[in-house]
Amino acid sequence: MSLRADATAGVGRFSRTERWVHRTTAALMGVCVTTAACLYVPQLAELVGRRELVVRIHEWAGLALPVPVLAGLASRAFRADLGHLNRFGPHDRTWLRAALHRDKRPASRPAGKFNAGQKLYASWIAGATLVMLGTGLMMWFTHLTPLLWRTSATFVHDWLALTIGIVLAGHIGMALADPEARRGMRTGKVSRDWAAREHPLWRP
């Protein structure tokens, strides 16, 4: 997707489809995390009650989680961004080294449309979602797999869920710290100054 200059509104960053995919996926992930907390945190479980209903909501939200991404594949802009997220270059290694050394100078963190941290997050959350879906299905359809598999799936599902919660909290925290990035996801546009500072290698 190219940088589309606009004298008053800045430059285009995300299409309507991309924003829909992000919002829908975030909503489904939020339901999964919330219902998981209600199932595993005793105080929340007592407060909410109706465990069977919470379990069903959790299962169906988890099953629907890949749907927005699959639907988004119909969008050329979304497919293009998946290509950007899937490619690592020398500048990404430079960005990661700067991040590890807490070097926040823009010149030390070259980035294209997505920086290396965003690429790693996208790859990790996509893989984690697939693992959660697979282990969740083994826990749901108990008659399809041996007991040992179900026990292992439960262990992986529970601990990965905790990890996802922590990573999502970090993702949300970084978004809250960057109003312009939130504007890009909310309206599809960002300021030219922000684009030049945070993503200097992003070109039309």
Side-chain angles (χ1 to χ4, degrees), residues 98 102-109:
R102 298 185 179 181
D103 184 349
K104 297 184 179 181
R105 294 174 300 166
S108 302
R109 297 193 177 195

Side-chain angles (χ1 to χ4, degrees), residues 24-36:
T24 309
T25 302
L28 289 169
M29 185 68 78
V31 171
C32 288
V33 171
T34 302
T35 51

